[in-house]
Amino acid sequence: LQELFNDILIHVTGFFRDPAVFTVLKKRIFPKLLKGRAQDEPIRIWVPGCSSGEEVYSLAIALVEYLESQKRNIAVQIFGTDINLKALDRARAGFYPVGIATDVSADRLRRFFSKQDNGYRINKSIREMCVFARQNVVMDPPFSNLDLISCRNVLIYLGQPLQRKVF
């Protein structure tokens, strides 16, 4: 039963999926997150339905790049949640196959990953910004005090009654 459950879960994710979204984040959303923010006030982001962590790490990398471009040193906390424990274990490990090189630029691979035998591991500095936890977004309480919620992997797969319940 557990294996069947895992098989029907959606595993469609990737690093920097839909690059135009990350352009909008850097041009329109991240500037709003920084406006009026105190240096000691962390940026908090939640990614429900994070699967194996690619979206979480992509957001972390994009935000680090943006903060550096603005010469700001602000703590970042990104919470990735999913119902699938195997996917969460993979996300926590931060290890991905060599095929990610088609989605992650060579510069980002050098800067934010370490090459290992059969793939790449996300650097510790990025992994430490990200917390992964099991959560059923339909039944469990949401995170609070957030600056951004990115649920690109989950809401599109839910019917309208469940979408309404989640909202």
Side-chain angles (χ1 to χ4, degrees):
L1 187 60
Q2 184 63 41
E3 289 301 315
L4 178 61
F5 173 74
N6 288 336
D7 283 347
I8 63 172
L9 292 174
I10 306 298
H11 302 285
V12 178
T13 189
F15 283 96
F16 299 97
R17 191 176 79 193
D18 192 1
V21 169
F22 288 91
T23 300
V24 170
L25 283 168
K26 285 185 175 183
K27 288 184 177 181
R28 295 181 58 205
I29 306 303
F30 292 166
K32 289 180 182 179
L33 294 182
L34 288 186
K35 190 174 183 176
R37 182 174 297 275
Q39 195 71 17
D40 63 344
E41 183 183 353
I43 295 172
R44 294 171 48 93
I45 299 172
W46 177 30
V47 181
C50 71
S51 188
S52 49
E54 289 91 332
E55 182 179 0
V56 173
Y57 290 131
S58 296
L59 282 166
I61 289 168
L63 190 51
V64 164
E65 291 172 340
Y66 181 78
L67 289 170
E68 287 175 351
S69 76
Q70 301 301 302
K71 298 182 180 13
R72 298 284 302 267
N73 185 20
I74 295 176
V76 175
Q77 300 170 331
I78 304 179
F79 305 97
T81 61
D82 204 283
I83 199 167
N84 185 333
L85 292 174
K86 285 184 181 181
L88 288 169
D89 286 342
R90 184 169 175 214
R92 284 184 196 106
F95 183 78
Y96 300 94
V98 294
I100 67 167
T102 60
D103 299 320
V104 180
S105 70
D107 181 53
R108 283 178 170 155
L109 284 174
R110 276 191 304 277
R111 186 159 177 226
F112 298 107
F113 294 81
S114 59
K115 180 82 168 89
Q116 297 186 346
D117 290 338
N118 300 321
Y120 295 94
R121 184 171 312 277
I122 194 89
N123 288 349
K124 186 177 180 182
S125 63
I126 298 295
R127 280 196 326 268
E128 287 178 342
M129 294 177 191
C130 306
V131 175
F132 295 96
R134 185 165 199 259
Q135 183 200 42
N136 181 335
V137 73
V138 176
M139 300 177 77
D140 297 333
F143 282 73
S144 59
N145 299 320
L146 298 165
D147 298 296
L148 178 68
I149 300 172
S150 176
C151 46
R152 300 173 67 213
N153 280 345
V154 80
L155 286 180
I156 61 174
Y157 298 108
L158 300 179
Q160 282 189 347
L162 278 180
Q163 285 180 350
R164 275 193 286 278
K165 184 174 182 176
V166 169
F167 283 125

